């Protein structure tokens, strides 16, 4: 932060020095008689900067949201695969493995989804269930080649569940980088101060236009806040993938 502030101050000092030196070098007949030209250039740059930052942040937030949704789909597909693989096991092992898969899915849909929304982290209960599932699958008999192949396929599927879960753990905590947050709020302040430095008079038309500007900026910032955390706020990743997994379990006979 200190380094960024120092660079900004130095850049401003260099810009002022270049401007003053250049203005003294040029003939007076070439110079503007008022401040509108310089002010218009600065305000255009501020508006462009704000729009660029907003566009970049929105794209970044949407990519994070899309990645989080993809990871939930990958996790649910691995759960379904594990459940189907377990269907080929002996009755006792099949019931144990399929029961753990169902328990894990229900825990994610229930407790964990609430914890992700309110606390921005994963719950420990589904993690323990997943560990029990891994231990159960690892302990499956491998007396012959067919049994060993079935156990290996189940283990590989459980690893995919765990990998997708770890990706989801990262998605829960991921947000806008700090430097982009600073740039966004800095640009917002500059845009709101733009009419003040432009010397606009307080008239009904100007007040309505500035109010409209503030309304648009407020809505943009609100939507960015909703998109920033894919498992929190109003715009959250849907639970459809895990609900579909539960529906698939019921179809396995």
């Amino acid at each position: 932060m200190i380094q960024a502030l120092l660079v900004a101050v130095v850049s401003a000092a260099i810009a002022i020095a270049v401007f003053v030196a250049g203005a003294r070098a040029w003939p007076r007949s070439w110079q503007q008689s008022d401040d509108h030209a310089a002010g218009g250039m600065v305000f255009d740059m501020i508006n462009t900067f704000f729009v660029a930052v907003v566009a970049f942040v929105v794209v970044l937030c949407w990519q994070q949201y899309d990645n989080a949704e993809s990871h939930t789909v990958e996790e649910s597909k691995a759960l379904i695969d594990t459940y189907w693989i377990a269907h080929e096991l002996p009755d006792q092992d099949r019931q144990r493995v399929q029961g753990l898969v169902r328990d894990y899915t229900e825990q994610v849909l229930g407790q964990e989804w609430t914890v992700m929304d309110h606390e921005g982290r994963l719950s420990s209960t589904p993690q323990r269930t997943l560990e029990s599932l891994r231990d159960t699958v690892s302990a499956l008999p491998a007396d012959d080649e067919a049994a060993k192949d079935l156990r290996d396929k189940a283990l590989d599927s459980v690893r995919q569940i765990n990998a997708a879960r770890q990706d989801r753990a990262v998605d829960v905590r991921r947000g806008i980088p700090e430097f982009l947050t600073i740039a966004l709020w800095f640009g917002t302040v500059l845009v709101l101060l733009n009419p003040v430095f432009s010397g606009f008079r307080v008239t009904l038309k100007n007040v309505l236009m500035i109010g409209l500007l503030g309304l648009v900026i407020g809505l943009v910032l609100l939507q960015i806040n909703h998109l920033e955390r894919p498992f929190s706020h109003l715009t959250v990743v849907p639970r459809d993938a895990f609900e579909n997994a539960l529906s698939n379990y019921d179809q396995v006979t």
Side-chain angles (χ1 to χ4, degrees):
M1 178 66 71
I2 296 177
Q3 183 182 17
L5 183 61
L6 181 61
V7 170
V9 172
V10 171
S11 299
I14 292 175
I16 293 173
V18 171
F19 168 70
V20 173
R24 292 183 180 276
W26 288 107
R28 285 187 172 274
S29 60
W30 291 14
Q31 298 180 14
Q32 298 285 343
S33 58
D34 52 40
D35 298 332
H36 292 299
M41 179 188 67
V42 172
F43 295 140
D44 288 343
M45 183 185 67
I46 290 173
N47 293 335
T48 303
F49 169 78
F50 178 74
V51 171
V53 171
V54 168
F56 189 82
V57 169
V58 169
V59 170
L60 177 64
C61 289
W62 183 255
Q63 287 178 339
Q64 293 177 352
Y65 178 91
D66 188 59
N67 289 337
E69 187 174 16
S70 297
H71 294 151
T72 61
V73 172
E74 293 172 4
E75 188 174 356
S76 66
K77 289 170 65 176
L79 286 166
I80 294 172
D81 290 343
T82 306
Y83 199 91
W84 274 95
I85 293 171
H87 192 62
E88 302 179 33
L89 296 171
D91 287 346
Q92 185 174 359
D93 294 331
R94 172 179 57 81
Q95 293 175 5
R96 174 65 173 163
V97 172
Q98 289 183 340
L100 287 171
V101 172
R102 183 181 290 272
D103 289 344
Y104 175 82
T105 307
E106 292 174 345
Q107 289 165 2
V108 171
L109 274 172
Q111 176 189 7
E112 187 159 69
W113 219 266
T114 303
V115 172
M116 289 192 298
D117 184 11
H118 295 159
E119 302 179 24
R121 63 176 180 84
L122 300 187
S123 174
S124 59
T125 303
Q127 180 62 43
R128 289 195 295 268
T129 303
L130 183 58
E131 291 171 358
S132 297
L133 174 62
R134 181 189 59 202
D135 294 340
T136 300
V137 172
S138 299
L140 289 175
D143 301 331
D144 52 47
E145 190 65 27
K148 182 178 182 301
D149 182 63
L150 191 61
R151 186 195 64 180
D152 291 343
K153 288 196 297 184
L155 273 175
D156 184 63
S157 189
V158 171
R159 292 191 190 99
Q160 294 178 26
I161 297 172
N162 186 70
R165 177 178 176 81
Q166 297 309 311
D167 289 335
R168 182 158 56 86
V170 175
D171 294 332
V172 169
R173 296 189 296 269
R174 181 169 289 162
I176 301 175
E178 184 179 359
F179 77 94
L180 275 181
T181 302
I182 295 174
L184 181 62
W185 285 108
F186 181 69
T188 301
V189 172
L190 290 180
V191 170
L192 293 178
L193 289 178
N194 190 334
V196 178
F197 294 136
S198 298
F200 289 172
R201 292 184 302 166
V202 180
T203 62
L204 178 60
K205 178 181 178 181
N206 287 341
V207 168
L208 292 176
M209 294 303 295
I210 299 304
L212 180 60
L213 173 66
L215 176 64
V216 171
I217 292 176
L219 290 176
V220 169
L221 295 178
L222 180 62
Q223 293 306 314
I224 289 175
N225 181 64
H226 289 333
L227 276 174
E228 181 183 6
R229 301 287 181 177
F231 292 100
S232 303
H233 305 304
L234 295 179
T235 308
V236 298
V237 173
R239 299 184 292 181
D240 298 353
F242 291 98
E243 292 172 348
N244 179 67
L246 282 177
S247 176
N248 271 269
Y249 302 159
D250 295 332
Q251 298 175 15
V252 179
T253 59

